[in-house]
Amino acid sequence: MQFWFTEEQSKGLRISVQVERVVEKRRTPYQEAVVSETSDFGRMLTLDDVIQTTERDEFAYHEMICHVPMCSHPNPDRVLVVGGGDGGAVREVLKHPVQAVDLVEIDEAVISLSKEHLPSISSGLADPRVRVIIGDGIEFVAGSRDAYDVIIVDSTDPVGPAQGLFERGFFERVRRALREGGLFAAQTGSPFYSAELVARVYRDLRSVFPKAGLYLGCVPTYPGGLWVFSIGSVGGEFTSPLPGRVVKGTKYYDEAVHSAAFVLPPFVRRLIDGDR
Ligand code: AG3
């Protein structure tokens, strides 16, 4: 039965996606996870009625959250993805010659639903280099020292269990979990609707990492379409890819897009300018 799924994206703004049918709905200990078949965006994963990913636009988000840090590191052998149970971030990381990828997801149901119903996104989870850990990302990171070259936080919005992933204390643990030259990237919301969050995360990253920055990507099904990724570095630059590091087979990311993503419109730059 066709219907319109509606996400309230901010106070006074909603987005609706036409759905052909619900493929599977699961109530988990953490949330309600649903995979639906949409009319126009392929299959869509929602958690507690918040759009996480659609088959049609997921490439933009997953490529940007991964390749910007991955192509800024000379040899990212060991990578950690926190959240990201759909596997999209892992799939992109595996386009690089990595040795090991750990994925820590709190909700096992997100992984099994994605494996079953979103194979084009979750395919990388079956790769032998990938270790899937069901658990709390904050605790996992706290227990890791000098362990990773790149840490990617692909979380839900900062409500409920994900809240701690946007806090300064977590960023400090991320820094300790990174090896020399390590990079951290995370999705940090909309510059229109989460301006305070974006500004606060940047301030915290600046105080924890030697270098911090923001970059933008376009994800049509997220609030406002324009999305912020925040990056912290233990030392190296990240505003353009290192020579020879850009991989083939991407649809949104390339060398020019990497550098352009750090060009911020004045209203976004203003969120962080006072801190530079
Ligand atoms: N990560 C969630 C992005 C937040 C979307 N927010 C929203 N629609 N209000 C996506 C997980 C994809 N691997």
Side-chain angles (χ1 to χ4, degrees):
M1 195 200 50
Q2 221 179 46
F3 65 96
W4 287 88
F5 162 86
T6 298
E7 176 183 337
E8 193 167 299
Q9 295 197 317
S10 80
K11 222 168 86 207
L13 181 81
R14 293 175 176 175
I15 185 177
S16 296
V17 182
Q18 192 172 47
V19 171
E20 297 294 325
R21 70 185 175 99
V22 170
V23 177
E24 191 174 343
K25 181 187 288 205
R26 276 196 220 169
R27 160 98 1 237
T28 84
Y30 299 97
Q31 53 209 346
E32 185 177 74
V34 181
V35 175
S36 323
E37 187 75 55
T38 73
S39 310
D40 213 26
F41 273 76
R43 289 197 171 169
M44 171 174 78
L45 171 69
T46 58
L47 299 175
D48 286 340
D49 288 337
V50 175
I51 299 173
Q52 300 301 312
T53 204
T54 78
E55 285 178 324
R56 182 156 167 197
D57 69 356
E58 57 87 11
F59 70 92
Y61 175 87
H62 290 128
E63 290 181 13
M64 289 305 277
I65 203 169
C66 290
H67 298 304
V68 171
M70 291 294 291
C71 296
S72 301
H73 194 290
N75 50 335
D77 289 335
R78 299 188 53 84
V79 178
L80 172 66
V81 176
V82 176
D86 53 70
V90 167
R91 181 197 63 205
E92 292 306 312
V93 167
L94 291 172
K95 291 179 179 168
H96 297 261
V98 292
Q99 283 171 8
V101 187
D102 288 346
L103 173 94
V104 190
E105 163 66 55
I106 199 162
D107 193 344
E108 187 278 328
V110 174
I111 296 174
S112 59
L113 272 177
S114 305
K115 277 188 175 166
E116 207 168 319
H117 303 301
L118 304 168
S120 66
I121 303 177
S122 61
S123 54
L125 295 175
D127 190 286
R129 291 167 291 176
V130 177
R131 177 167 72 125
V132 175
I133 299 128
I134 307 300
D136 183 309
I138 298 173
E139 281 169 26
F140 186 86
V141 169
S144 310
R145 279 287 149 96
D146 282 326
Y148 298 102
D149 300 305
V150 171
I151 296 180
I152 293 165
V153 174
D154 177 13
S155 73
T156 52
D157 293 347
V159 281
Q163 216 162 350
L165 299 170
F166 294 79
E167 284 168 10
R168 189 176 189 278
F170 174 68
F171 302 150
E172 284 168 350
R173 294 185 189 114
V174 166
R175 184 179 169 168
R176 285 196 288 269
L178 283 169
R179 302 206 278 200
E180 213 180 302
L183 287 141
F184 161 70
Q187 75 86 3
T188 50
S190 153
F192 285 95
Y193 307 119
S194 343
E196 274 171 33
L197 173 81
V198 168
R200 209 255 305 140
V201 166
Y202 178 77
R203 231 180 14 248
D204 289 346
L205 288 179
R206 274 288 317 247
S207 68
V208 169
F209 287 91
K211 290 197 174 79
L214 297 188
Y215 60 98
L216 297 171
C218 174
V219 191
T221 55
Y222 289 174
L226 187 67
W227 211 246
V228 173
F229 301 90
S230 299
I231 186 162
S233 159
V234 176
E237 290 292 341
F238 45 68
T239 52
S240 52
L242 292 173
R245 295 288 300 112
V246 172
V247 293
K248 292 204 170 38
T250 52
K251 292 188 282 185
Y252 187 103
Y253 175 90
D254 70 7
E255 184 170 355
V257 168
H258 183 136
S259 308
F262 286 91
V263 178
L264 306 176
F267 85 99
V268 184
R269 210 165 54 227
R270 223 172 284 134
L271 297 176
I272 65 171
D273 259 354
D275 287 303
R276 278 214 256 222

